[in-house]
């Protein structure tokens, strides 16, 4: 005979009761079935709330009427569906239960409190209604059935609302129960009786526990727990994307997972089935064809080392410390005796090897009571300073890695703690059982979900995630979003998931917890957004959604955004930017950026600040890391001026070349920003600082294309109208260079500790003479590259190549995860 337990959404309405009937009768025909039922969905919560309302003197009648409507509604619907359904009998039973409930609630309202013995009877009403409904269905379908009242058969001890069954004594009471399959047995879950015959309940997930008790008492061949999920997952699928369904768990693994917070089974449920070696199958009522997860003595052949990750939230840790603990026999036992006598369950224990302190974790709801009891029990030791004041830390969680095969696998603990470090999570306490079946860490409650996601990625997934927040959606930003959208299929094929969660402009911030659909027009949603950009808001969003690898991408040219990079990294974000303002700010701020990136283990990437998509910064960093020393650098660092000076060589005037560059999108909206040379100076300073030169922007000599004060205070159109005034003078310089077999180029150079930006006439033998049409080129002379320089050349202007360079930097935030392996 098999035991089948149904509850929750499986009993939400009449159609689902009928589905439960189909599953149960199919099993009964082949193996014989004993069915344990919870209350109809939501009924137990309603009964609990009714007790609270009555005790508080509130009007409980609206909720009472809603409860009545719920349970009678199921009976009425079944009556319409089934011919022969004993509707009158079922309704009479429901009304009798509700009359008693109403009397009890009136009494509770007078007392101002719900006594536990009365509450136990009230909270179990739903289970008795449920089995009556189900018996009516079976009888209408001609299936012989019997309702077993657990008050008669199951003996328990402990509190009225959280009792523990005595399985061996209970089993002796089942001698008159037919287990030959002649009758389909039905038993309300959650309920038992104490030695005095009073009704008690079995606590959280009590119906699962009831099924395990019944399975042990009738020597069932299997205990099936039917839920609304396909089985046990290696992490909570509601919190961890890509959580994996487990095919098998041993009893010990299931106990560890459930003890530390896995929601499918309660530890009390596993006890009876493990003790009597009864296989337990977790299955889905909504998907009966799914194989489910088998819990037995049989280990999985698919998942051989780590099986799962669980989290137990709302935990408080106590630390009892002081010289009185050192070498004092019996002090630890006194601590735990206090907890035991108060019936407070301890989740985790850890003790320092010096014997100076002992720490343990309990549920937060018991914390105040536990502290008071400990202070009373150790009043003398505390008064004489043999013990330090008892330290209490609230708002904690326990995250546990579980698997029978962990004892045989090397390096799992290192990967576990590396994962926590990557998630920027501090360990408050660590514990590992001698069986090496699990390893637990106590961390801040608010970081538990993120920790579990990172651990799951490192142990169970090959997928790398990058969570992007874009600031600035002009030319480069918009192109970047297009490239991300276009590359999604190719990235997913490489197990890389880039998801954009936020887009901001100078006025608005658009956030979406599911990720913004880049294949749709996101601009109206941004325009309609009601909040503005702040690091605090992005940090809150990343935490609320437990984002694993958040990256802020700054595609603006604003100094105000650049000055927030330190704050961004300190709040857990990588920073990727083509914005030159941060790295050309004060030397002190530049150093602070570098130091912050190192101390926070965040990546600060700015490849596109020099050369757009060309790999300039990365190559420089690699050279210097390998011990190379810069002797001289010269390069064309402006795509717009590369275009302008190339056109001068071809015979255009300065004004014509500038107009053409502007029309083709090479220049800034105001060409004076390019012609002033400040953009090139910033790029040169960035490179100089990479070479460890301690320079400020004011230290760089700049030869502007424009004479000092030329057309400074006029509009762009007026500037373009006045620009031909410089044509004749510039034509002379072009002709003079040509007479010497040279061409003019706008060049940034570094030599020694001097940096300058100048208009130079270069011979044909110089590689820079060939650079024009928007190209950038850099020639690096160093210890390793002389006399022939190391040359990097390619297009260095335009939104497409800049966005591509930013995209490449975004993807570079990924390898931090691979290091855990």
């Amino acid at each position: 005979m098999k035991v089948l337990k149904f509850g929750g959404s499986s009993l939400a309405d009449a159609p689902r009761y009928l589905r439960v009937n189909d599953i149960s009768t199919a099993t009964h025909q082949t193996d014989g079935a004993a069915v344990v039922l919870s209350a109809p969905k939501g009924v137990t919560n309603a009964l609990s709330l009714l007790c609270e309302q009555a005790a508080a003197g509130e009007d409980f009648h609206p909720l009472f009427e809603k409860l009545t409507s719920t349970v009678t509604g199921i009976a009425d619907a079944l009556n319409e569906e089934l011919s022969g359904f004993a509707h009158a009998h079922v309704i009479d039973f429901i009304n009798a239960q509700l009359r008693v409930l109403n009397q009890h609630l009136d009494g509770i309202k007078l007392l101002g409190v719900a006594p536990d013995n009365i509450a136990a009877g009230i909270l179990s009403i739903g289970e008795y209604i449920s089995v009556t409904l189900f018996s009516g269905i079976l009888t209408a379908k001609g299936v012989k059935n019997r309702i077993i009242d657990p008050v008669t058969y199951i003996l328990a001890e402990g509190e009225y609302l959280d009792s523990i069954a005595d399985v061996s004594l209970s089993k002796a009471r089942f001698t008159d129960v037919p287990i030959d399959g002649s009758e389909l047995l039905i038993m309300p879950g959650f309920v038992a009786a104490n030695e005095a015959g009073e009704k008690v309940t079995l606590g959280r997930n009590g119906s699962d526990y009831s099924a395990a008790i019944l399975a042990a008492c009738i020597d069932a061949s299997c205990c099936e727990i039917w839920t609304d999920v396909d089985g046990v997952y290696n992490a909570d699928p509601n919190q961890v994307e890509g959580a994996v369904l487990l095919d098998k768990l041993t009893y010990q693994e299931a106990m560890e997972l459930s003890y530390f917070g896995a929601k499918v089974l309660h530890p009390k449920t596993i006890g009876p089935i493990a003790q009597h070696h009864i296989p337990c199958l977790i299955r889905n009522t909504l998907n009966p064809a799914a194989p489910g997860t088998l819990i037995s003595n049989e280990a999985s052949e698919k998942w051989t080392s780590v099986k799962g990750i669980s989290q137990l939230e709302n935990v408080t840790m106590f630390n009892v410390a002081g010289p009185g603990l050192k070498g004092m026999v019996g002090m630890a036992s006194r601590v735990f005796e206090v907890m035991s006598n108060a019936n407070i369950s301890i989740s985790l224990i850890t003790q320092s090897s010096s014997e100076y302190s002992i720490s343990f974790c309990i549920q937060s709801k018991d914390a105040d009571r536990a502290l008071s009891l400990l202070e009373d029990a150790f009043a003398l030791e505390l008064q004489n300073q043999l013990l330090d004041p008892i330290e209490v830390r609230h708002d904690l969680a326990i995250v546990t890695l579980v698997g029978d095969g962990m004892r045989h696998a090397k390096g799992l603990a290192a990967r576990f703690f590396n994962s926590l470090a990557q998630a920027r999570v501090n360990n408050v306490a660590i514990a590992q059982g001698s069986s090496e079946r699990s390893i637990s860490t106590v961390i801040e409650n608010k970081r538990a979900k993120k920790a579990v996601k990172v651990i799951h990625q490192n142990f169970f997934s090959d997928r790398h995630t990058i969570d992007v927040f874009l600031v600035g959606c002009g030319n480069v930003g918009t192109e970047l979003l297009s490239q991300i959208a276009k590359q999604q299929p190719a990235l997913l094929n490489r197990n890389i998931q880039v998801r954009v969660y936020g887009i901001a402009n100078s006025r608005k911030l658009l956030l979406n917890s599911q990720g913004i659909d880049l294949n749709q027009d996101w601009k109206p949603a941004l325009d309609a957004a009601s909040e503005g950009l702040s690091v605090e808001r992005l940090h809150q969003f990343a935490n609320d959604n437990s984002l694993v690898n958040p990256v802020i991408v700054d595609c603006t040219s604003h100094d105000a955004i650049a000055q927030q990079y330190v704050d961004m990294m300190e709040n857990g974000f990588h920073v990727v930017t083509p914005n030159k303002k941060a790295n050309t700010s004060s030397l002190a701020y530049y150093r602070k950026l570098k130091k912050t990136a190192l101390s926070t283990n965040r990546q600060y990437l700015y490849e596109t600040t020099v050369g757009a998509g060309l790999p300039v910064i990365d190559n420089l960093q690699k050279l210097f890391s390998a011990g190379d020393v810069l002797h001289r650098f010269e390069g064309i660092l402006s795509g717009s001026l590369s275009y302008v000076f190339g056109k001068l060589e071809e015979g255009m005037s300065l004004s014509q070349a500038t107009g053409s560059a502007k029309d083709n999108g090479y220049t800034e909206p105001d060409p004076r920003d390019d012609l002033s040379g400040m953009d090139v100076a910033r790029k040169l300073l960035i490179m100089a600082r990479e070479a460890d030169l301690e320079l400020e922007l004011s230290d760089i000599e700049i030869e502007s294309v424009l004479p000092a004060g030329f057309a400074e205070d006029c509009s762009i159109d007026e500037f373009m109208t006045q620009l031909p005034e410089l044509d004749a003078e510039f034509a002379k310089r072009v002709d003079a260079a040509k007479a010497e077999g040279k061409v003019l180029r706008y060049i940034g150079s570094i030599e020694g500790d001097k940096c300058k930006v100048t208009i130079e006439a270069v011979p044909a033998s110089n590689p820079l003479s060939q650079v024009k049409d928007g190209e950038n080129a850099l020639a690096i002379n160093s210890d390793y590259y002389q006399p022939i320089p190391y040359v990097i050349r390619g297009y260095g202007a335009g939104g497409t190549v800049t966005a591509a360079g930013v995209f490449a930097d975004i993807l570079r935030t990924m390898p931090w995860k691979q290091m855990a392996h």
Side-chain angles (χ1 to χ4, degrees):
M1 177 171 275
K2 290 184 177 180
V3 171
L4 288 72
K5 179 267 172 181
F6 299 90
S9 60
S10 302
L11 304 174
D13 50 32
R16 300 201 186 192
Y17 269 90
L18 293 172
R19 182 182 290 129
V20 168
N21 168 76
D22 293 340
I23 294 169
S24 302
T25 51
T27 300
H28 183 58
Q29 290 171 3
T30 56
D31 300 281
V35 176
V36 176
L37 296 179
S38 298
K41 185 179 181 182
V43 167
T44 303
N45 287 339
L47 292 167
S48 178
L49 187 54
L50 282 168
C51 290
E52 291 176 16
Q53 289 179 346
E58 299 173 4
D59 181 12
F60 58 80
H61 290 97
L63 181 57
F64 184 90
E65 293 302 322
K66 184 178 179 181
L67 172 65
T68 303
S69 174
T70 297
V71 292
T72 57
I74 295 174
D76 293 343
L78 289 171
N79 188 47
E80 292 180 8
E81 288 284 333
L82 294 171
S83 59
F85 181 74
H87 182 256
H89 166 72
V90 172
I91 291 295
D92 287 346
F93 178 84
I94 291 173
N95 288 335
Q97 294 289 315
L98 295 177
R99 278 195 300 272
V100 173
L101 171 61
N102 195 56
Q103 292 168 4
H104 283 317
L105 292 174
D106 287 336
I108 291 170
K109 193 168 186 177
L110 289 172
L111 290 172
V113 66
D116 285 353
N117 61 330
I118 299 299
I122 291 175
L123 293 176
S124 59
I125 286 173
E127 279 72 17
Y128 283 90
I129 291 175
S130 195
V131 296
T132 302
L133 290 166
F134 191 61
S135 178
I137 295 171
L138 292 171
T139 301
K141 288 183 172 287
V143 179
K144 189 177 181 182
N145 62 89
R146 176 190 296 208
I147 295 177
I148 303 171
D149 189 349
V151 172
T152 304
Y153 290 96
I154 298 178
L155 178 65
E157 59 183 9
E159 299 178 5
Y160 283 104
L161 300 178
D162 193 13
S163 290
I164 303 291
D166 188 322
V167 176
S168 60
L169 291 178
S170 299
K171 188 171 184 177
R173 298 184 173 190
F174 275 80
T175 53
D176 64 337
V177 175
I179 56 173
D180 57 359
S182 58
E183 295 177 306
L184 194 156
L185 306 178
I186 317 168
M187 187 178 86
F190 188 50
V191 185
N194 59 22
E195 285 187 352
E198 298 173 295
K199 186 178 291 184
V200 297
T201 61
L202 301 175
R204 187 172 73 88
N205 285 349
S207 292
D208 288 357
Y209 185 30
S210 295
I213 296 164
L214 179 59
C217 288
I218 66 173
D219 294 320
S221 61
C222 183
C223 177
E224 296 183 357
I225 307 293
W226 289 80
T227 68
D228 54 2
V229 294
D230 283 343
V232 180
Y233 287 80
N234 60 3
D236 186 346
N238 295 317
Q239 295 181 9
V240 178
E241 188 175 357
V244 177
L245 181 67
L246 300 172
D247 59 338
K248 295 176 184 177
L249 288 169
T250 64
Y251 295 121
Q252 292 83 0
E253 288 170 333
M255 181 72 79
E256 294 277 2
L257 281 171
S258 60
Y259 185 77
F260 286 110
K263 296 180 174 61
V264 175
L265 281 179
H266 191 276
K268 289 197 298 188
T269 305
I270 300 167
I273 59 175
Q275 183 182 352
H276 293 80
H277 304 287
I278 299 170
C280 181
L281 198 57
I282 312 298
R283 301 186 66 182
N284 189 350
T285 313
L286 305 178
N287 184 19
T293 300
L294 177 65
I295 300 172
S296 68
N297 287 316
E298 188 178 342
S300 173
E301 296 177 1
K302 183 177 181 181
W303 304 101
T304 56
S305 57
V306 176
K307 286 291 180 61
I309 311 151
S310 63
Q311 65 190 80
L312 186 64
E313 297 183 327
N314 300 316
V315 167
T316 296
M317 190 175 79
F318 286 73
N319 185 44
V320 181
L325 279 176
K326 176 75 174 176
M328 186 69 72
V329 176
M331 288 291 280
S333 67
R334 284 178 60 195
V335 171
F336 300 129
E337 186 179 11
V338 171
M339 297 296 101
S340 175
N341 291 340
N343 203 26
I344 295 174
S345 176
I346 295 176
S347 305
L348 178 145
I349 302 168
T350 181
Q351 184 173 19
S352 66
S353 57
S354 67
E355 300 182 33
Y356 188 84
S357 68
I358 187 165
S359 301
F360 61 91
C361 294
I362 63 173
Q363 286 293 303
S364 294
K365 64 182 178 64
D366 297 320
D368 292 341
R369 185 161 59 100
L371 179 61
S372 177
L373 291 168
L374 284 171
E375 288 177 337
D376 287 345
F378 291 95
L380 189 60
E381 288 84 357
L382 290 165
Q383 183 179 347
N384 293 315
Q385 298 183 349
L386 290 171
L387 289 181
D388 300 334
I390 296 170
E391 180 186 359
V392 182
R393 292 192 61 167
H394 298 285
D395 300 320
L396 300 176
I398 301 173
V399 174
T400 303
L401 196 66
V402 175
D404 273 345
M406 287 175 60
R407 73 187 89 175
H408 306 299
K410 296 179 180 179
L412 292 181
R415 283 172 60 188
F416 180 65
F417 292 117
N418 270 342
S419 300
L420 294 169
Q422 291 155 12
R424 294 165 54 85
V425 173
N426 291 325
N427 298 292
V428 177
I430 300 165
Q432 183 171 26
S434 58
S435 68
E436 299 182 49
R437 186 175 288 115
S438 67
I439 185 166
S440 300
T441 182
V442 183
I443 63 176
E444 290 179 282
N445 200 72
K446 64 183 180 182
R447 297 187 179 273
K449 291 179 182 177
K450 183 175 182 180
V452 169
K453 287 179 74 171
V454 176
I455 295 165
H456 186 273
Q457 275 202 346
N458 278 321
F459 280 91
F460 296 99
S461 174
D462 292 326
R463 177 164 291 183
H464 308 266
T465 62
I466 302 174
D467 312 312
V468 174
F469 297 87
L470 173 68
V471 183
C473 37
N475 183 22
V476 174
T478 301
E479 174 62 26
L480 173 64
L481 294 178
S482 297
Q483 291 181 12
I484 291 174
K486 182 180 178 181
Q487 284 298 107
Q488 284 294 342
L491 291 171
L492 289 172
N493 285 337
R494 293 165 52 197
N495 276 326
I496 301 169
Q497 180 177 283
V498 179
R499 188 172 285 171
V500 177
Y501 285 95
I503 300 174
N505 58 23
S506 58
R507 297 173 294 104
K508 300 288 186 73
L509 170 64
L510 171 65
L511 294 171
N512 188 317
S513 60
Q514 302 302 311
I516 297 167
D517 186 353
L518 301 181
N519 293 311
Q520 303 294 324
D521 186 4
W522 45 265
K523 292 178 182 177
L526 177 61
D527 292 339
S530 59
E531 54 188 329
L533 173 68
S534 72
V535 177
E536 292 76 16
R537 179 67 184 101
L538 295 183
H539 181 242
Q540 178 192 8
F541 180 89
N543 278 346
D544 290 346
N545 292 278
S546 302
L547 299 185
V548 170
N549 193 32
V551 184
I552 293 178
V553 182
D554 174 21
C555 285
T556 74
S557 58
H558 298 153
D559 187 57
I561 302 296
Q563 293 301 317
Q564 298 180 64
Y565 291 173
V566 167
D567 195 20
M568 292 172 183
M569 287 186 279
E570 287 178 342
N571 279 280
F573 294 92
H574 302 296
V575 175
V576 171
T577 182
N579 185 347
K580 292 178 276 293
K581 296 295 174 61
N583 279 8
T584 58
S585 184
S586 68
L587 184 60
Y589 185 64
Y590 174 78
R591 286 172 172 165
K592 191 173 183 181
L593 285 170
K594 292 287 191 174
K595 183 178 179 181
T596 303
L598 192 63
S599 65
T600 58
N601 197 28
R602 298 294 89 182
Q603 298 229 40
Y604 172 47
L605 301 171
Y606 45 88
E607 182 65 68
T608 50
T609 56
V610 179
L614 297 178
V616 177
I617 300 296
D618 185 49
N619 279 296
L620 277 179
Q621 290 173 341
K622 287 176 179 176
L623 285 176
F624 298 148
S625 296
D628 203 358
V629 176
L630 180 68
H631 295 171
R632 173 176 169 76
F633 161 83
E634 61 178 1
I636 294 175
L637 301 175
S638 168
S640 54
L641 294 183
S642 161
Y643 182 90
V644 168
F645 278 77
K647 295 303 177 186
L648 291 174
E649 179 189 345
E650 294 173 7
M652 279 191 182
S653 67
L654 176 63
S655 60
Q656 290 172 332
T658 303
S660 177
K662 184 175 184 294
D663 293 340
N664 284 283
Y666 284 110
T667 69
E668 295 293 329
D670 187 343
R672 284 170 289 192
D673 293 341
D674 299 286
L675 298 174
S676 69
M678 184 56 70
D679 180 66
V680 175
R682 288 186 183 278
K683 293 176 181 179
L684 196 63
L685 178 61
I686 291 170
M687 295 186 65
R689 287 177 171 177
E690 289 298 319
D692 290 331
L693 297 181
E694 297 185 351
L695 298 173
E696 299 285 1
L697 189 58
S698 58
D699 295 326
I700 298 178
E701 299 177 24
I702 304 173
E703 180 185 359
S704 173
V705 173
L706 305 174
F710 179 81
E712 280 184 347
D713 300 324
C714 61
S715 68
I716 296 173
D717 289 340
E718 288 171 336
F719 165 74
M720 293 301 293
T721 302
Q722 295 179 38
L723 190 56
E725 296 173 14
L726 305 179
D727 286 350
E729 186 63 32
F730 238 87
K732 290 180 183 178
R733 296 186 67 172
V734 171
D735 292 340
K738 188 174 182 180
E740 297 178 3
K742 298 178 179 179
V743 292
L744 293 184
R745 292 292 181 260
Y746 200 71
I747 294 174
S749 63
I750 303 172
E751 190 159 8
D753 59 353
K754 302 295 184 184
C755 295
K756 58 183 180 179
V757 179
T758 56
I759 302 170
E760 293 186 25
V762 297
S765 59
N766 189 315
L768 300 183
S769 66
Q770 305 302 314
V771 178
K772 51 188 177 180
D773 297 329
E775 280 191 294
N776 279 9
L778 305 90
I780 300 167
N781 290 91
S782 66
D783 279 355
Y784 297 165
Y785 289 92
Q786 59 176 332
I788 299 175
Y790 177 23
V791 176
I792 303 172
R793 179 177 172 180
Y795 279 107
T800 302
V801 292
T802 304
V806 172
F807 197 176
D809 268 355
I810 291 172
L811 294 177
R812 287 172 62 193
T813 65
M814 183 176 60
W816 67 273
K817 183 209 145 183
Q818 295 172 317
M819 291 166 59
H821 296 275

